[in-house]
């Protein structure tokens, strides 16, 4: 079973890329972020024609998350628990019915960027991460197999950036940001990619500016965190880097996790 996360940075603009990727890789489920469209504008028909059902939480011009699946998907939750007044479209989850296996809960998340540091956006980012940790704790107590997949906007370690010094004053690399990410891991979650590779130079994002892609000036901010029950089924994880070289690409690339 293959599960993918991908910040597509505008679904309507990258729909052809997504459909090409689905045909080439045939993942069982895909978590999308930064749709930048409302649900009324979501391309359900095109995605269904490719063999996938879809659930989405949209927002005009900003944010937006979705889950595509070739497997039955139920028990849909839209929005991260913990703040009923939070109207930003950043979290959606459901339960995949896996043949001959226990079900797996899957979440697509788009964690706040948090910049600039001296604005209300940074406290919102940290509060959002706290809510995510609380929700993860609840699911862990239920001993569920689950995957939190998405754009975390967190550079966990210096090796996850080609030039760590360039990010010292960025919300993605602040000590408290990284500590909040480590808290998730300390709860018992596993970073799927790091469970499979300790290599440096593994990046998922290259800015559009200053030739970042051509210079390999990248960072790793797209992650798949697994519960112990999901980790027991982990076979491999890899970054599908080649999509960044496509014409008019997203600045993020897919991360794929394969389970037994």
């Amino acid at each position: 079973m293959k599960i993918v996360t991908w910040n597509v940075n505008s679904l309507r603009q990258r729909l052809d890329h997504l459909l090409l990727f689905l045909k080439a890789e045939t993942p069982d489920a895909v978590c999308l972020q930064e749709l930048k469209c409302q649900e009324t504008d979501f391309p359900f028909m095109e995605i269904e024609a490719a063999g996938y059902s879809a659930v989405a939480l949209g927002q005009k011009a900003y944010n937006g998350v979705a889950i595509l699946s070739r497997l039955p998907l139920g028990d849909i939750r839209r929005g991260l628990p913990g703040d009923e007044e939070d109207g930003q479209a950043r979290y959606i989850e459901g339960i995949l019915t896996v043949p001959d296996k226990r079900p797996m809960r899957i979440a697509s998340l788009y964690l706040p960027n948090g910049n600039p540091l001296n604005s209300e956006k940074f406290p919102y980012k940290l509060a959002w991460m706290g809510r995510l940790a609380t929700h993860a704790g609840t699911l862990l107590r239920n001993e569920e197999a689950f995957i939190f997949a998405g754009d975390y906007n967190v550079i966990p370690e210096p090796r996850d950036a080609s030039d760590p010094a360039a990010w010292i004053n960025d919300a993605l690399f602040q000590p408290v940001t990284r500590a909040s990410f480590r808290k998730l891991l300390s709860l018992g979650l596993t970073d799927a990619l790091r469970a499979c590779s300790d290599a440096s130079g593994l990046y998922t994002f290259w800015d559009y500016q200053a030739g970042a892609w051509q210079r390999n000036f990248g960072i790793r901010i797209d992650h798949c965190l697994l519960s112990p029950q999901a980790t027991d089924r982990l076979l491999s994880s890899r970054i599908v880097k080649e999509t960044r070289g496509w014409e008019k690409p997203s600045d993020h690339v897919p991360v794929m996790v394969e389970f037994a």
Side-chain angles (χ1 to χ4, degrees):
M1 181 174 71
K2 295 189 291 187
I3 296 178
V4 170
T5 183
W6 193 3
N7 178 325
V8 290
N9 191 6
S10 180
L11 179 56
R12 299 301 301 186
Q13 291 187 30
R14 321 284 178 214
L15 181 58
D16 288 346
H17 287 188
L18 175 62
L19 296 176
L20 179 63
F21 177 83
L22 294 177
K23 183 176 181 180
E25 298 288 351
T26 62
D28 295 284
V30 181
C31 296
L32 300 178
Q33 302 88 41
E34 210 169 353
L35 307 179
K36 295 184 178 179
C37 70
Q38 296 175 308
E39 290 164 58
T40 51
D41 298 318
F42 190 90
F44 287 103
M45 291 182 60
E46 294 91 333
I47 288 170
E48 289 173 3
Y52 292 80
S53 63
V55 293
L57 177 63
Q59 186 175 344
K60 186 177 181 180
Y62 298 99
N63 305 326
V65 286
I67 301 173
L68 319 183
S69 180
R70 296 197 301 168
L71 300 169
L73 183 67
D75 193 27
I76 307 303
R77 177 195 293 272
R78 291 175 170 84
L80 181 66
D83 185 355
E84 294 182 358
E85 296 183 359
D86 185 358
Q88 296 195 29
R90 294 185 175 275
Y91 185 90
I92 190 168
E93 75 172 38
I95 294 181
L96 291 171
T97 299
V98 185
D100 302 322
K101 288 284 185 180
R102 290 181 61 187
M104 180 176 290
R105 188 176 296 271
I106 180 172
S108 177
L109 64 92
Y110 181 37
L111 205 146
N113 179 283
N115 285 301
L117 290 172
N118 60 354
S119 73
E120 73 284 354
K121 294 181 179 181
F122 190 54
Y124 173 64
K125 177 190 187 83
L126 298 179
W128 206 96
M129 295 184 78
R131 289 162 54 198
L132 184 64
T134 298
H135 186 47
T138 299
L139 298 181
L140 286 166
R141 286 191 293 274
N142 294 337
E143 298 187 352
E144 295 188 26
F146 68 84
I147 175 172
F148 283 172
D151 177 0
Y152 280 71
N153 273 312
V154 176
I155 305 169
E157 301 177 68
R159 62 176 170 167
D160 295 311
S162 59
D163 183 6
W167 300 91
I168 292 296
N169 296 317
D170 195 284
L172 280 63
F173 198 52
Q174 288 300 295
V176 65
T177 302
R178 295 160 60 196
S180 296
F181 188 83
R182 288 195 300 272
K183 180 180 178 181
L184 288 167
L185 300 180
S186 70
L187 292 173
L189 302 185
T190 296
D191 181 339
L193 190 70
R194 283 301 176 207
C196 298
S197 175
D198 285 326
S200 60
L202 300 176
Y203 310 132
T204 65
F205 171 90
W206 295 260
D207 195 273
Y208 292 126
Q209 306 298 320
W213 166 245
Q214 291 78 10
R215 296 162 49 216
N216 198 28
F217 189 79
I219 54 177
R220 187 174 76 97
I221 57 175
D222 302 87
H223 311 297
C224 296
L225 300 190
L226 313 179
S227 71
Q229 293 77 15
T231 304
D232 287 344
R233 292 153 62 174
L234 175 64
L235 295 178
S236 66
S237 181
R238 66 183 176 94
I239 297 169
V240 189
K241 185 178 179 180
E242 55 266 28
T243 63
R244 186 60 176 81
W246 292 356
E247 185 178 358
K248 297 181 179 179
S250 170
D251 42 8
H252 296 251
V253 297
V255 179
M256 182 179 296
V257 183
E258 187 171 1
F259 298 92

